[in-house]
């Protein structure tokens, strides 16, 4: 909770006028405890998961041929009720596992120093902190994902996520509750090591969720981030990992693929792409561009 409740109090305390963004922030959170602001993360988690996959859901249901040509596994069709079941299962996991974890992690957030007061972070601070968060999460997430493909971990935990051999946007967080918690550690470590502002904290988890939904969308469009961001994995890269499933020894990247290239776990994907160009049986099930 901010130590001042009016614009005049804040300006006197800071010794300057407030920016428009700071004024809006003051009006929104002046009387809200920090615990309530922290719990916004759970609200955003459910909100963006409910909204962001809708375009992909509508594309799947439309059956439009112009859209379907961008689908990575075009022979796999999902019904509305199949996708709704996925949504329902994920929301159940959010309620029983993620939200309680968010609540009990509040003392840690206070301890590491996530800020809620004035002034707000600059654009450069926001950019560099988010970049650091992505790098940290990418590196640790890569190794955690590889660990989840060891036989015991796959059979007991990760296998549930791979039920979708042709992933959809809604299936991005479709996983065993233990996997969501385990993979949450690399995502949480960035803010722990480089604590920032609460809005940066919110934005980081929102962006990470949106990226995961796009990566699991099952569509590879000409405007996908893969075409513009170096080493960005994207839907086609990760879709192959799901297609291979338990036997996959490659494409473990979370967001950017540099770890796959450094540690040699990218090799299966180019090989399969080459086989596709040679009209192998693989192309009967999987679209190669």
């Amino acid at each position: 909770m901010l130590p001042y409740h009016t614009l005049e109090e804040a300006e006197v305390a800071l010794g300057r006028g407030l920016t428009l963004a700071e004024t809006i922030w003051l009006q929104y959170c002046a009387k809200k405890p920090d615990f309530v602001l922290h719990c916004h993360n759970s609200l955003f988690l459910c909100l963006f998961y409910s909204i962001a996959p809708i375009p992909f859901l509508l594309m799947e249901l439309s059956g439009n041929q112009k859209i379907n040509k961008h689908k990575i596994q075009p022979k796999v069709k999902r019904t509305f009720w199949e996708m709704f079941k996925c949504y329902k299962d994920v929301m159940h996991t959010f309620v029983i596992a993620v939200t309680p974890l968010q609540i009990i992690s509040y003392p840690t957030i206070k301890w590491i120093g996530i800020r809620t007061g004035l002034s707000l972070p600059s654009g450069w601070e926001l950019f560099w902190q988010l970049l650091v968060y992505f790098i940290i999460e990418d590196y640790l997430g890569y190794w955690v994902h590889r660990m989840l493909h060891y036989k015991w971990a796959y059979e007991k935990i990760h296998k549930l996520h791979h039920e979708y051999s042709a992933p959809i946007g809604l299936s991005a967080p479709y996983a065993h509750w233990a996997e969501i918690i385990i993979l949450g550690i690399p995502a949480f470590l960035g803010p722990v090591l480089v604590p920032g502002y609460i809005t940066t904290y919110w934005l980081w988890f929102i962006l990470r969720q949106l990226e995961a939904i796009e990566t699991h969308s099952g569509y590879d469009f000409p405007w996908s981030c893969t075409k513009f961001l170096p080493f960005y994995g994207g839907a086609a890269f990760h879709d192959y990992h799901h297609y291979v499933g338990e036997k996959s020894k490659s494409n473990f990247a979370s967001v950017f693929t540099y770890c796959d290239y450094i540690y040699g776990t990218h090799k299966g994907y180019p090989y399969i792409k080459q086989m596709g160009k040679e009209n192998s049986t693989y192309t009967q099930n999987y679209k190669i561009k």
Side-chain angles (χ1 to χ4, degrees), residues 22-51:
E22 289 172 335
T23 302
I24 295 172
W25 179 250
L26 174 67
Q27 292 173 345
Y28 179 73
C29 68
K31 296 182 180 179
K32 289 183 176 66
D34 287 353
F35 175 73
V36 172
L37 295 176
H38 170 64
C39 289
H40 277 45
N41 238 15
S42 296
L43 173 64
F44 293 143
L45 178 72
C46 296
L47 178 64
F48 282 89
Y49 174 69
S50 298
I51 294 174

Side-chain angles (χ1 to χ4, degrees), residues 19 24 34 48 53 64 68-69 89 100 119 121 132 143 148-149 161 168 179 183 219 231 240 248 251 263:
T19 65
I24 295 172
D34 287 353
F48 282 89
N64 186 291
N68 204 51
K69 71 180 183 179
D89 291 343
S119 58
V132 169
W143 288 106
L148 287 171
H149 274 264
H161 182 64
I168 57 176
E179 176 172 344
L183 288 174
Y219 290 89
F231 292 102
Y240 166 71
S248 180
N251 296 42
Y263 299 109

Side-chain angles (χ1 to χ4, degrees), residues 155-167:
E155 289 294 329
K156 300 297 183 182
I157 300 175
H158 195 46
K159 185 176 181 178
L160 182 63
H161 182 64
H162 274 274
E163 285 183 5
Y164 285 86
S165 57

Side-chain angles (χ1 to χ4, degrees), residues 19-274:
T19 65
L20 176 61
E22 289 172 335
T23 302
I24 295 172
W25 179 250
L26 174 67
Q27 292 173 345
Y28 179 73
C29 68
K31 296 182 180 179
K32 289 183 176 66
D34 287 353
F35 175 73
V36 172
L37 295 176
H38 170 64
C39 289
H40 277 45
N41 238 15
S42 296
L43 173 64
F44 293 143
L45 178 72
C46 296
L47 178 64
F48 282 89
Y49 174 69
S50 298
I51 294 174
I54 290 177
F56 299 113
L57 184 150
L58 295 176
M59 286 187 283
E60 179 72 17
L61 294 176
S62 71
N64 186 291
Q65 291 303 311
K66 290 183 178 180
I67 296 176
N68 204 51
K69 71 180 183 179
H70 299 291
K71 192 173 181 182
I72 301 168
Q73 297 192 53
K75 290 189 176 182
V76 180
K77 307 294 184 183
R78 304 287 184 185
T79 68
F80 172 82
W81 293 111
E82 285 177 318
M83 292 187 283
F84 180 73
K85 180 183 183 302
C86 178
Y87 173 80
K88 184 177 65 174
D89 291 343
V90 169
M91 290 298 289
H92 178 259
T93 305
F94 283 170
V95 171
I96 67 168
V98 181
T99 300
L101 185 63
Q102 288 273 356
I103 293 172
I104 64 175
S105 67
Y106 172 68
T108 305
I109 294 299
K110 294 294 291 181
W111 175 69
I112 64 178
I114 298 291
R115 309 193 312 274
T116 59
L118 298 173
S119 58
L120 297 177
S122 67
W124 278 112
E125 178 185 343
L126 181 67
F127 171 79
W128 286 114
Q129 285 183 328
L130 289 173
L131 180 61
V132 169
Y133 296 171
F134 271 110
I135 292 172
I136 293 173
E137 196 273 344
D138 253 351
Y139 187 79
L140 292 179
Y142 169 86
W143 288 106
V144 171
H145 192 181
R146 284 190 67 170
M147 178 196 74
L148 287 171
H149 274 264
Y150 293 162
K151 185 175 180 60
W152 183 90
Y154 187 90
E155 289 294 329
K156 300 297 183 182
I157 300 175
H158 195 46
K159 185 176 181 178
L160 182 63
H161 182 64
H162 274 274
E163 285 183 5
Y164 285 86
S165 57
I168 57 176
L170 286 166
S171 70
Y174 179 82
H176 193 286
W177 63 267
E179 176 172 344
I180 291 179
I181 293 174
I182 292 169
L183 288 174
I185 295 173
F188 187 64
L189 190 59
V192 170
L193 296 176
V194 188
Y197 204 76
I198 188 70
T199 51
T200 308
Y201 183 70
W202 293 343
L203 183 58
W204 158 237
F205 284 102
I206 290 170
L207 289 175
R208 188 62 188 86
Q209 185 177 42
L210 294 178
E211 184 279 330
I213 290 170
E214 191 275 333
T215 298
H216 288 81
S217 67
Y219 290 89
D220 187 26
F221 293 106
W223 56 84
S224 297
C225 294
T226 313
K227 312 298 189 296
F228 308 104
L229 293 178
F231 292 102
Y232 182 80
F237 189 85
H238 192 69
D239 201 283
Y240 166 71
H241 176 83
H242 274 262
Y243 179 84
V244 178
E246 181 180 4
K247 296 180 180 179
S248 180
K249 303 297 182 183
S250 65
N251 296 42
F252 296 106
S254 178
V255 180
F256 297 100
T257 61
Y258 65 91
C259 280
D260 278 306
Y261 283 91
I262 290 173
Y263 299 109
T265 52
H266 70 293
K267 297 177 182 178
Y269 183 54
Y271 173 71
I272 290 297
K273 289 181 72 174
Q274 184 60 38

